[in-house]
Amino acid sequence: METELSRQLGIEHAIFGFTPFPEVAAAITRAGGFGVLGAVRYTAPDDLARDLDRLHEHADGKPYGLDVVMPAKKVDGVTEADVEAMIPEEHRGFVRELLARHGVPELAEGEASGWRITGWMEEVARGQLDVAFDYPIKLLANALGSPPADVIARAHDHGVLVAALAGSARHARRHAEAGIDVVVAQGYEAGGHTGEIGSMVLVPEVVEAVAPLPVLAAGGIGSGEQVAAGLALGAQGVWLGSLWLTTEEADLHSEALTAKLLAAGSGDTVRSRALTGKPARQLRTAWTDAWDDPAGPGTLPMPLQGLLVAEAVSRIQKYEVGELLGTPVGQIVGRMTSERSVQAVVDDLTRGFERAVTRVNRIAGRSAT
């Protein structure tokens, strides 16, 4: 499962695994793939440094990367407190009423919210980069399109490739013009922030739009046969995120959430703005239904929505309130039916890839080589 890009990065398999857990990222890298640690949940540089230490220590000297969330354009002088002040009281009241209706307990007095995604704010994301470039990362990915030009230049000065996610060929061309090295074509099926075009249509469109830049296929990929399909469409690798959530190395801190993921089918997700303010695929719950109900106040734009619901999500997760409990995940959740090690997942992907290649060679009247 080697491609030009995988050989350039020195990895055995063209499998790029995005995850918020350093143990999972390290395990993906050890298994011959390329582990990418998601940085959006880190608000303190010391916390990111601690987990990059763990990732580096357990990667066995093999390459890994970091995924940040930062806009190409910034607004100077805007602090988190400034953004908080923009949240309407109507929306705060809606959150209070929704939590009360489902009997969600308050956090203990003095207990801070454990879920505070502010990593897409300019000053936070740049602080993450100050930490990241102290480590031998080989790839910097940005989930909100092309990062600022100075960030791309800084990464290149450190010998780091820069990747950006795209939901359309138009977005992909913008990335290429900005100097991006790798484009991740993320289809509608994907978990988290995603666009409206399915992977089967999107991947070849992006490959053609940015050639000869390498493209990674993302969205709806959870088997080796699907990996082979992505490469057949012109991608030089696959970008997988949801698949790792139910691995043994993942640390969701919730048996109830793991159980919901294992029981969910491919039709049990919804593309909703309820979590961050941008369309993000996640488990469908009473929480997403309430925010998507026309009778409600509607969601706020990013980053207001994320700040508004931060404490609520912490409470839902801490007390494992089943009807409201969810997480970003793609439609591939229907294949995630058991807890397995990362190595077992990678082994299954490579076996499936070999089966697919053998099948296609047989159809084409060629012997497998």
Side-chain angles (χ1 to χ4, degrees):
M1 211 186 299
E2 289 187 353
T3 65
E4 183 178 346
L5 179 61
S6 70
R7 286 189 289 271
Q8 180 182 355
L9 289 169
I11 58 176
E12 183 180 358
H13 307 303
I15 297 171
F16 294 74
F18 164 79
T19 174
F21 308 115
E23 292 82 3
V24 175
I28 293 168
T29 286
R30 291 198 307 272
F34 190 94
V36 181
L37 179 65
V40 71
R41 67 192 179 100
Y42 297 98
T43 57
D46 289 347
D47 291 340
L48 177 59
R50 176 202 63 215
D51 280 1
L52 281 173
D53 281 341
R54 292 159 66 186
L55 169 53
H56 184 73
E57 180 182 355
H58 295 100
D60 290 353
K62 297 179 179 180
Y64 56 87
L66 189 74
D67 179 277
V68 297
V69 180
M70 63 188 309
K73 297 179 181 179
K74 66 177 180 177
V75 179
D76 291 324
V78 177
T79 67
E80 183 177 335
D82 295 330
V83 177
E84 285 267 17
M86 300 176 190
I87 298 174
E89 181 56 36
E90 177 190 10
H91 286 75
R92 295 187 187 277
F94 180 77
V95 171
R96 289 193 295 268
E97 189 278 330
L98 181 56
L99 296 179
R101 190 193 323 158
H102 289 273
V104 183
E106 298 275 357
L107 295 176
E109 185 175 352
E111 182 178 358
S113 168
W115 188 93
R116 189 81 171 167
I117 292 184
T118 55
W120 51 65
M121 298 186 69
E122 179 76 13
E123 69 273 15
V124 176
R126 286 188 177 274
Q128 293 168 349
L129 296 178
D130 290 339
V131 173
F133 289 126
D134 286 336
Y135 293 81
I137 62 171
K138 298 300 181 184
L139 179 75
L140 177 69
N142 190 48
L144 277 185
S146 303
D150 68 295
V151 171
I152 297 173
R154 186 179 179 189
H156 288 165
D157 287 344
H158 283 81
V160 176
L161 296 181
V162 180
L165 275 65
S168 71
R170 177 170 54 88
H171 294 156
R173 281 190 286 267
R174 287 179 184 172
H175 297 339
E177 292 166 0
I180 294 297
D181 305 293
V182 181
V183 176
V184 181
Q186 180 164 281
Y188 173 81
E189 308 94 325
H193 297 126
T194 188
E196 299 179 348
I197 304 174
S199 298
M200 185 64 72
V201 174
L202 178 66
V203 173
E205 285 187 352
V206 171
V207 168
E208 181 178 353
V210 303
L213 288 183
V215 172
L216 300 179
I221 300 174
S223 72
E225 288 82 356
Q226 290 163 325
V227 173
L231 299 190
L233 292 172
Q236 288 199 30
V238 293
W239 178 274
L240 310 180
S242 299
L243 195 62
W244 316 107
L245 289 173
T246 53
T247 57
E248 294 169 356
E249 292 87 348
D251 190 9
L252 288 177
H253 298 293
S254 173
E255 292 184 6
L257 181 54
T258 298
K260 288 189 76 170
L261 288 169
L262 294 175
S266 56
D268 292 328
T269 69
V270 64
R271 190 167 165 267
S272 171
R273 298 177 185 268
L275 192 60
T276 69
K278 282 185 175 291
R281 186 170 298 284
Q282 54 203 280
L283 283 178
R284 181 177 181 178
T285 65
W287 175 264
T288 61
D289 286 348
W291 281 106
D292 295 338
D293 188 339
T299 57
L300 298 169
M302 180 186 274
L304 299 182
Q305 182 72 13
L307 293 173
L308 168 66
V309 305
E311 181 181 322
V313 172
S314 285
R315 289 164 60 184
I316 292 167
Q317 292 177 343
K318 177 178 179 178
Y319 299 110
E320 298 190 322
V321 182
E323 288 185 323
L324 302 177
L325 189 62
T327 187
V329 69
Q331 292 180 333
I332 201 63
V333 69
R335 293 188 61 92
M336 296 156 51
T337 57
S338 64
E339 291 187 76
R340 299 180 292 165
S341 69
V342 166
Q343 182 67 62
V345 171
V346 173
D347 288 344
D348 186 57
L349 291 172
T350 57
R351 285 192 296 266
F353 177 82
E354 291 168 358
R355 286 194 301 269
V357 171
T358 299
R359 185 182 305 120
V360 171
N361 277 326
R362 189 186 310 118
I363 292 170
R366 303 186 185 97
S367 60
T369 58

